[in-house]
Amino acid sequence: MLPFLSPRDLDAPLAWCGGTPVSARQFLRDVARMAERLPAQGAALNLCVDRYRFSVAFGAALLRGHVSLFPPNAMAQTIDQLRSQYPLLWALADESTLEGLTGLDVLAVTGAAPDARAEAIVLPPEQPSACLLTSGSTGAPQPHLKHWGTLVRNAAQEAQRLAALLQRPSLDGLNIVATVPPQHSYGFESSVLLALQGGAAIDAGRPFYPADIAAALQRLPRPRALVTTPFHLKTLLRSGVELPEVDLVLSATAPLSPQLAQETERRCGGVLVEIYGCTEAGQVATRCTARTDLWHTFDGLRISKLPGLGEEQGERYSVQGGHVAEPTLLADILELQDAEHFRLLGRANDLVHVAGKRSSLGHLNFHLNSIEGVEDGAFWVPDEVTDGVARPVAFVVAPTLSARAIAAALRGRIEAVFVPRRIVHLPRLPREATGKLTAQTLRQLAREHLSPRTP
């Protein structure tokens, strides 16, 4: 049996709600009271935006033996997809998500339960606990069921690695502000699970605007950590908002440039750590991007190259060991130094071929967003071809740069065949809360802005 909370001082904060500490003891009371209200059967769709109430709902579902489903959004299409797999589906929500949910039994996750008993919770490692869905950045979201033992081992590995990088014996007392939704695998692992299993404490909010992020960090005592994405981090640093000292900045969901990593450490005064992983395998590796481009796998995890794949399919790699019980295919192309160290070259399914040349959308997007004056940008390669060649397109947020200037800057960074023939300026890109742009969103942008032009 494995504990729901790792050994800790039950009177120390496990969460911060509006700057007010909530102890681990109170958290266990709230979980016990919420569990009493849950249905006897079915699966819990956890839609809570408030990170503390999300954690209470997750714990209550575990206590009653229910699987928690973490959708990438609350759209009707997503919920219908889950209902087809879990007919007895009901939702747990807080005030911000209660409205607009129709055709679904919804339980509100409410405030404190001071009179409930705070009993220790232990769970079998084989208990199905969470169903995480991929982001849909390359297609339809796919569900992946996680057992409690897998989640515990994953969180323990992350806590151990981060403590070592911070030169601390543990993460006890670390206070976390996260801009990533708790339903996302990275947001779940690096905020909620680090609180439950790593000894840290989480801020209940999910600040978005730079001033709100700075204010949330300022409310918490040190040591503090910011769990975010390259998109949010770039926006935060470019805003000019004064930042308090941050001991640890975690970034994931897309590769971070070394320049942005170095600027982050200079502005925040702490260490920046990137996390590499995927919904299928969980967290796989870390790197300190300001100092190296090499990724280092978590203890016990080993990367191997799969044999027998040709040039057209590209190289493929799998990871196994530690919290990854079975060999799990990775969606990226790597350059292995050894079984525990690698460079990341790009996603296997975002390889693009133009006029006989090969690159990846990740590589192209990296260089587009590295141009001074480009606030945000993304490449897209249409399915249709012109004169036998698929011509890349770029969508950009760059108020001070012309399309001609962006194209000129790209010619010095990427091969000429990948320089976009069309550069579309937009006021903003419709990114998800994790900072990702889904394949469906890019196709919709193309339909709206790339209608045939008169010759």
Side-chain angles (χ1 to χ4, degrees):
M1 302 291 282
L2 297 173
F4 178 51
L5 294 185
S6 61
R8 63 190 300 153
D9 178 2
L10 291 183
D11 294 315
L14 180 137
W16 298 83
C17 297
T20 301
V22 180
S23 70
R25 192 183 306 278
Q26 182 59 54
F27 173 68
L28 289 174
R29 291 189 182 114
D30 293 344
V31 168
R33 176 57 58 83
M34 190 70 217
E36 295 173 356
R37 299 173 49 208
L38 299 188
Q41 295 180 319
L45 187 64
N46 194 331
L47 300 176
C48 295
V49 173
D50 181 288
R51 209 169 299 268
Y52 178 72
R53 296 192 181 187
F54 173 94
S55 304
V56 169
F58 173 61
L62 278 177
L63 192 55
R64 289 296 297 271
H66 300 316
V67 173
S68 290
L69 310 181
F70 302 156
N73 54 62
M75 294 170 55
Q77 180 181 0
T78 303
I79 293 175
D80 288 343
Q81 178 188 353
L82 292 173
R83 190 185 276 118
S84 67
Q85 301 169 15
Y86 297 90
L88 294 177
L89 185 66
W90 37 270
L92 292 159
D94 51 27
E95 290 94 337
S96 60
T97 50
L98 280 173
E99 294 184 7
L101 294 175
T102 58
L104 198 64
D105 290 333
V106 181
L107 281 80
V109 183
T110 54
D115 55 337
R117 296 183 62 183
E119 295 185 358
I121 301 172
V122 292
L123 304 160
E126 66 276 8
Q127 178 172 329
S129 301
C131 182
L132 298 168
L133 276 78
T134 56
S135 63
S137 56
T138 58
Q142 298 299 316
H144 293 275
L145 183 65
K146 304 289 183 177
H147 296 84
W148 181 241
T150 300
L151 296 178
V152 170
R153 289 191 295 272
N154 190 345
Q157 284 293 309
E158 182 183 13
Q160 180 181 339
R161 173 64 56 83
L162 296 180
L165 293 173
L166 289 172
Q167 299 182 333
R168 293 170 55 89
S170 71
L171 295 186
D172 288 358
L174 181 71
N175 298 299
I176 297 173
V177 170
T179 65
V180 190
Q183 287 83 3
H184 186 272
S185 56
Y186 162 52
F188 175 58
E189 292 158 346
S190 292
S191 62
V192 175
L193 283 184
L194 277 187
L196 300 180
Q197 290 292 316
I202 49 170
D203 183 73
R206 199 188 81 197
F208 178 81
Y209 296 107
D212 295 333
I213 296 172
L217 288 166
Q218 189 66 60
R219 283 195 297 266
L220 303 184
R222 295 185 64 190
R224 2 178 215 245
L226 174 63
V227 175
T228 190
T229 71
F231 170 70
H232 291 119
L233 192 54
K234 184 177 181 180
T235 303
L236 177 63
L237 296 181
R238 297 293 181 269
S239 70
V241 170
E242 184 176 351
L243 296 173
E245 287 190 273
V246 181
D247 301 270
L248 171 67
V249 178
L250 290 183
S251 179
T253 74
L256 192 66
S257 70
Q259 295 87 349
L260 190 56
Q262 291 161 6
E263 183 183 356
T264 299
E265 293 195 346
R266 187 171 62 252
R267 293 274 301 275
C268 296
V271 61
L272 180 137
V273 178
E274 269 193 283
I275 294 181
Y276 171 76
C278 57
T279 307
E280 296 86 344
Q283 299 176 107
V284 173
T286 61
R287 70 176 177 182
C288 293
T289 315
R291 285 169 287 285
T292 181
D293 63 348
L294 275 181
W295 295 88
H296 180 199
T297 61
F298 286 113
D299 292 347
L301 268 64
R302 299 181 67 82
I303 307 286
S304 58
K305 184 177 178 179
L306 300 180
L309 294 178
E311 177 67 22
E312 284 302 311
Q313 294 171 292
E315 302 115 350
R316 299 306 300 269
Y317 298 83
S318 69
V319 61
Q320 185 180 14
H323 60 272
V324 186
E326 301 292 334
T328 300
L329 188 68
L330 298 173
D332 297 288
I333 299 173
L334 313 178
E335 179 188 295
L336 289 186
Q337 300 298 298
D338 54 47
E340 298 176 354
H341 298 87
F342 62 91
R343 289 184 176 89
L344 180 62
L345 302 183
R347 293 187 71 86
N349 54 8
D350 76 0
L351 288 178
V352 291
H353 297 80
V354 177
K357 301 286 187 177
R358 186 174 76 161
S359 186
S360 75
L361 291 175
H363 175 78
L364 299 176
N365 288 338
F366 172 83
H367 286 291
L368 176 61
N369 285 280
S370 297
I371 297 172
E372 188 67 31
V374 173
E375 297 176 5
D376 195 10
F379 269 80
W380 181 71
V381 178
D383 299 325
E384 301 82 11
V385 298
T386 303
D387 300 328
V389 178
R391 300 295 186 184
V393 175
F395 299 101
V396 299
V397 180
T400 63
L401 294 179
S402 67
R404 186 185 300 270
I406 294 171
L410 284 172
R411 287 191 189 96
R413 298 165 181 263
I414 61 178
E415 292 191 79
V417 296
F418 295 108
V419 175
R421 297 299 191 271
R422 297 280 304 274
I423 297 177
V424 180
H425 281 74
L426 298 172
R428 59 178 291 273
L429 297 186
R431 292 185 178 270
E432 305 243 312
T434 58
K436 289 190 175 184
L437 280 168
T438 66
Q440 181 181 356
T441 298
L442 286 170
R443 290 192 188 96
Q444 181 61 34
L445 286 177
R447 284 193 292 268
E448 293 175 0
H449 299 283
L450 296 178
S451 57
R453 295 180 297 178
T454 302

